[in-house]
Amino acid sequence: MKTGSRPISNLLIAACTLLLCACGETGQARTAPGITLVIHGGAGTMSRKEITPERERQYREILSRVLESGFAILEEGGGSLDAVEHAIRIMEDSPLFNAGKGAVFTNEGKNEMDALIMSGAERNAGAVASVTTIKNPIRAARAVLEHSQHVLLAGRGAEKFAAEQGLEIVDPAYFFTQRRWDALQKAKEKSSTNPRKDDWKKFGTVGALALDARGNLAAGTSTGGLTNKLYGRVGDSPIIGAGTYANNDTCAVSGTGQGEYFMRNLVGYDVSALMEYAGLPLAEAARKVIHEKLTGLGGRGGIIAMDKDGHIAMPFNTEGMYRGYISTHGEPHVFIYGDE
Amino acid sequence: MKTGSRPISNLLIAACTLLLCACGETGQARTAPGITLVIHGGAGTMSRKEITPERERQYREILSRVLESGFAILEEGGGSLDAVEHAIRIMEDSPLFNAGKGAVFTNEGKNEMDALIMSGAERNAGAVASVTTIKNPIRAARAVLEHSQHVLLAGRGAEKFAAEQGLEIVDPAYFFTQRRWDALQKAKEKSSTNPRKDDWKKFGTVGALALDARGNLAAGTSTGGLTNKLYGRVGDSPIIGAGTYANNDTCAVSGTGQGEYFMRNLVGYDVSALMEYAGLPLAEAARKVIHEKLTGLGGRGGIIAMDKDGHIAMPFNTEGMYRGYISTHGEPHVFIYGDE
């Protein structure tokens, strides 16, 4: 809000912002200005009852590894876009997450993926939607950002562009995993045509945010979408301001959850707008968007968010969210459940 | 901004809002609470030198006809979604606009269309992207809104869904018009691979906003995108909050212009956020989004916007925009140039 027309209210907003304390949620709102990497691997109904100790160990291990290797890029002076792309690429290559190799199946038994990467410096982005043959959709999104005049390419047009850019193209069979196939069969037993409420329980979308040494924010998200989704369904992940957003003046955001609700609520941009126009600090803006606005409309999910000073927030209204951050001290901090 | 945490600043914002006068731009900001229909048929470099009197007459005639027949629906007590769909369908069936029948050609010589319709009451939407065989993409968008759990369907998946819904499917040859084919050849002479700056000069996207007797806002947009665009490129029109937005608490918006800039700026939702969080009245919010924020990033285009009380604004930073409105008095008001 830079209209200059309401100096008194602006001053009041600024004063109130200073008075508002950081969000007290667990595993969140650590204050650590400087280079920072934040990641998520999806939100959902994960609870200690449902996850075996072995599976929990696997998730904690890979989240720590993603944070450490992505942070090394920032420590060496690399850019935030590079760190975000690298972190997401590792998660895409793991069968543990619903992105790349571990993508879920559509109603037609295919794997259709969406991804977006956004630079907070230029507020420019690249995205691909409904792609089936690109090994790393986040790399294709980066190529759209850097080598096209467009923001979003969908379907075979996106695949043709990725091939022209020399990216790795794979047979769709590469994305087959027994676990995801079984999940589709189970979902189909309940409903043959559309995802039902029961199928929304887990959102394995992956995302990353980085703040580099030059003060540039970047955000990225990659997903296989929803198990049993309709052929051609595009969710929030590749939509600027819905599942992903970055703006050096405000914040970077990546979301995971019921994509349709994230799109209708403009979740990513809404955090930024509440900071810019209503003067809220990051933690309060993120809390309001997830716990008041998304929850109020009946949507489920969570976000990771980071402001230009490296403050972070990771609110979610599901039982858990795979998430973590690493900052100037270089120690990865990883969380799964709501009470950590 | 309903946090309840800053009553004094909220009061100041409310007071200042009352003091701010309506935008004084020509052909805009008529105050007419009650049922209202607003439409656009694209912005661009149209000037009196470039448009023949005969062509100008054709545009004014069809814009008036669209307004009158869409308004009849509202007068008979019809809903805002019905009026918006009807208005856009007439423009899709005309070769004069870059939507439906008159859609421009992609770099590969095809017609790929995007459309979205949104209800301000539920803040729910339906959209299709990159469709090539659906006669009226806005009808398919309405079907996604009403008969799927998704918001956005792309490509052949969207076409399959439209066929299942019983919508009219046509041979892609239906969308051939000599005028658009010639425009592609001209664009290709300049650049064989990508739209160039010169190709961004005209944006024939169509859009409509309606406020019905029950106070429900709706917005819709339909487009063929950019002449010579890459295969699979999705623009701002089918993206909630970018080219199209509706929220009964704030406003309805439909845009036309350089889609990538509208997506990066979240143009539609930004008007709403400035009203909700910064307390700006519609005309000031719309002016700021187009003349400060979009222009500041180097983007070109315009919007039509209407608030919940029927106030309207139609700012653009191009030479002209086909636009018009009709309200309680029942007279259509149609404008083309910037000085009307």
Side-chain angles (χ1 to χ4, degrees), chain A:
Chain A
M1 196 170 66
K2 293 164 187 163
T3 61
S5 63
R6 300 201 305 277
I8 300 172
S9 67
N10 280 351
L11 275 175
L12 277 165
I13 286 170
C16 295
T17 303
L18 290 171
L19 290 172
L20 279 165
C21 61
C23 168
E25 293 189 51
T26 53
Q28 300 180 29
R30 302 281 182 279
T31 302
I35 59 172
T36 305
L37 179 66
V38 194
I39 61 171
H40 71 79
T45 56
M46 59 276 277
S47 69
R48 288 189 176 82
K49 273 188 296 189
E50 287 185 31
I51 302 178
T52 64
E54 170 61 15
R55 182 49 65 99
E56 180 175 329
R57 191 191 57 73
Q58 288 175 343
Y59 276 105
R60 291 191 190 270
E61 191 175 278
I62 191 167
L63 291 171
S64 294
R65 187 155 56 82
V66 168
L67 286 168
E68 282 168 337
S69 70
F71 191 67
I73 291 173
L74 297 173
E75 280 191 309
E76 288 158 14
S80 52
L81 283 169
D82 290 336
V84 163
E85 180 186 333
H86 177 83
I88 290 177
R89 198 162 50 72
I90 299 177
M91 291 190 278
E92 284 179 341
D93 289 342
S94 162
L96 288 174
F97 305 103
N98 175 18
K101 174 63 185 161
V104 299
F105 286 90
T106 67
N107 178 258
E108 296 203 335
K110 294 182 179 173
N111 309 97
E112 284 189 1
M113 293 155 283
D114 304 334
L116 184 147
I117 192 163
M118 183 161 187
S119 160
E122 304 88 23
R123 277 182 288 145
N124 203 354
V128 293
S130 301
V131 297
T132 60
T133 62
I134 301 170
K135 188 185 178 204
N136 289 106
I138 196 68
R139 293 196 65 192
R142 180 86 184 264
V144 172
L145 168 61
E146 296 187 340
H147 303 295
S148 87
Q149 294 186 42
H150 298 316
V151 164
L152 174 56
L153 295 178
R156 286 182 300 133
E159 290 166 357
K160 182 166 175 279
F161 176 80
E164 285 166 4
Q165 292 293 317
L167 300 186
E168 190 171 354
I169 302 298
V170 293
D171 187 280
Y174 164 78
F175 299 103
F176 180 89
T177 58
Q178 193 64 46
R179 177 186 174 202
R180 302 302 193 191
W181 184 255
D182 293 345
L184 174 64
Q185 306 318 315
K186 204 171 156 189
K188 281 193 157 182
E189 282 169 21
K190 297 179 199 158
S191 163
S192 61
T193 55
N194 246 343
R196 286 157 43 109
K197 284 229 159 146
D198 291 354
D199 303 325
W200 305 92
K201 286 203 289 191
K202 275 192 186 164
F203 320 107
T205 297
V206 304
L209 315 173
L211 175 64
D212 65 26
R214 287 178 293 285
N216 287 322
L217 285 167
T221 310
S222 181
T223 189
L226 293 170
T227 296
N228 203 23
K229 68 182 177 182
L230 280 189
Y231 173 36
R233 176 263 191 182
V234 178
D236 62 311
S237 302
I239 307 298
I240 296 176
T244 317
Y245 188 69
N247 180 344
N248 274 5
D249 294 334
T250 52
C251 63
V253 180
S254 171
T256 167
Q258 288 170 289
E260 278 71 10
Y261 287 92
F262 278 61
M263 295 163 89
R264 292 165 60 189
N265 274 18
L266 285 301
V267 163
Y269 183 65
D270 210 22
V271 177
S272 174
L274 280 163
M275 294 177 70
E276 184 178 357
Y277 301 145
L280 297 191
L282 177 88
E284 176 58 15
R287 187 202 63 75
K288 188 178 176 72
V289 166
I290 295 301
H291 292 296
E292 292 181 27
K293 299 187 78 171
L294 184 71
T295 303
L297 205 64
R300 305 276 285 167
I303 54 170
I304 52 173
M306 172 160 55
D307 73 12
K308 59 191 171 61
D309 300 313
H311 300 103
I312 67 172
M314 308 191 280
F316 51 93
N317 65 9
T318 50
E319 279 186 276
M321 180 166 80
Y322 299 114
R323 63 201 189 277
Y325 71 90
I326 187 167
S327 192
T328 35
H329 302 299
E331 275 296 306
H333 300 264
V334 167
F335 313 90
I336 298 176
Y337 309 110
D339 58 4
E340 299 187 72

Side-chain angles (χ1 to χ4, degrees), chain B residues 26-43:
Chain B
T26 53
Q28 302 182 25
R30 301 280 182 279
T31 301
I35 58 171
T36 306
L37 180 66
V38 195
I39 60 171
H40 72 79

Side-chain angles (χ1 to χ4, degrees), chain B residues 32-83:
Chain B
I35 58 171
T36 306
L37 180 66
V38 195
I39 60 171
H40 72 79
T45 56
M46 58 276 276
S47 70
R48 289 188 174 80
K49 272 188 299 187
E50 286 184 30
I51 302 177
T52 65
E54 169 60 13
R55 181 51 62 101
E56 180 175 328
R57 191 191 56 71
Q58 289 174 343
Y59 275 106
R60 291 190 189 271
E61 192 175 279
I62 190 167
L63 290 171
S64 294
R65 187 155 56 81
V66 168
L67 286 168
E68 282 168 339
S69 69
F71 190 68
I73 292 173
L74 297 173
E75 278 190 311
E76 289 158 13
S80 52
L81 282 170
D82 289 336

Side-chain angles (χ1 to χ4, degrees), chain B residues 35-37 69-88 117-122 142 145-146 208-220 248 306:
Chain B
I35 58 171
T36 306
L37 180 66
S69 69
F71 190 68
I73 292 173
L74 297 173
E75 278 190 311
E76 289 158 13
S80 52
L81 282 170
D82 289 336
V84 163
E85 180 186 333
H86 177 85
I88 290 178
I117 191 162
M118 184 162 184
S119 159
E122 303 88 21
R142 180 85 184 263
L145 168 62
E146 296 187 339
L209 316 174
L211 175 64
D212 65 27
R214 288 178 293 285
N216 288 322
L217 285 168
N248 274 7
M306 171 159 55

